[in-house]
Structure formats: C-alpha cells, structure tokens
Amino acid sequence: MIVRFETISINNITTSKSAFGEQSVTETLWFKTRAKVHEINSSSDEKTNYREYSDMVELHVNYSPNMRTISSETSNYSITYESKSWRIEDTKVTDDRQHVVLTCYRNDPQTAV
C-alpha cells in the first residue's frame, strides 16, 4: 500500500431552494490542509437501467478543533482532492486524538447502460 501526503481543501456545504423549489448545493472553501492518503478503491455497481461508479478514499488528518467540528456534522462539509469533490461518509477519531480518519466517497453522474 502506498501512503502519501497530499493537499486537500475542506469546504462548507450550503443547500438552498429557489422560488420554484429547485434545490442547489454550494461548496465554499473553508481551509486547506495536508492529509495522508491511504486507500483509493474504485468500484462499479450496475443497477436496473443505470451504472453507478463509486470511488472511495481514506484520508488521515491531524486532530484539531476544526476536525472535531467536521466529525460531529459530516453532512455539512466536503473535501476537494485531485480537483474533484468528495463527500465524507465516515469519521474516526483515534483514541489518543492524534489524527482523524475521514472515509470519503465520490459518485460520478449516473449514465444509462
């Protein structure tokens, strides 16, 4: 397994609705940091009429008050890594509070088979 340090961006996610009821999601940069990238997995899942691609990445980030905030409300934040937006699926804080493990996913748009 190759482990490397990469620069990532932590983004705030804001959802809003237009007057017509259309929902939009806005990502705004909160801060940049460095993380250890541990695993990158690619998978493909074929549904009835669609093929869904999923990528997973595990990021190890030093523990800080900002990481504690992200751990408690993961749905309000996203990660920009390799110029792509990743959503946080799970967070784990180590027992000694040295670092936080973020498991992130990215789904490509669904394409008809």
Side-chain angles (χ1 to χ4, degrees):
M1 170 173 44
I2 297 173
V3 179
R4 63 190 183 278
F5 281 95
E6 298 282 343
T7 301
I8 62 171
S9 299
I10 310 293
N11 306 307
N12 290 312
I13 294 179
T14 308
T15 58
S16 60
K17 283 189 178 182
S18 70
F20 298 108
E22 298 171 324
Q23 186 170 346
S24 65
V25 177
T26 306
E27 292 177 299
T28 54
L29 177 66
W30 185 18
F31 65 93
K32 290 187 176 196
T33 190
R34 304 237 335 137
K36 258 197 273 187
V37 179
H38 271 262
E39 297 177 13
I40 298 177
N41 300 318
S42 295
S43 64
S44 172
D45 184 24
E46 291 190 26
K47 306 241 172 163
T48 308
N49 295 326
Y50 298 95
R51 182 179 296 148
E52 183 177 317
Y53 295 95
S54 224
D55 293 329
M56 301 289 290
V57 66
E58 187 177 281
L59 306 169
H60 291 229
V61 184
N62 289 337
Y63 185 84
S64 68
N66 289 343
M67 286 297 124
R68 184 178 58 211
T69 302
I70 291 170
S71 296
S72 63
E73 292 293 328
T74 58
S75 61
N76 294 335
Y77 304 97
S78 70
I79 308 290
T80 301
Y81 165 65
E82 292 185 341
S83 302
K84 296 178 181 162
S85 181
W86 300 75
R87 293 298 175 101
I88 303 168
E89 178 186 24
D90 187 33
T91 59
K92 296 175 190 166
V93 178
T94 58
D95 290 336
D96 57 1
R97 290 192 177 178
Q98 291 296 311
H99 64 273
V100 177
V101 179
L102 303 172
T103 305
C104 304
Y105 68 92
R106 182 179 65 80
N107 284 333
D108 288 336
Q110 293 182 346
T111 307
V113 177

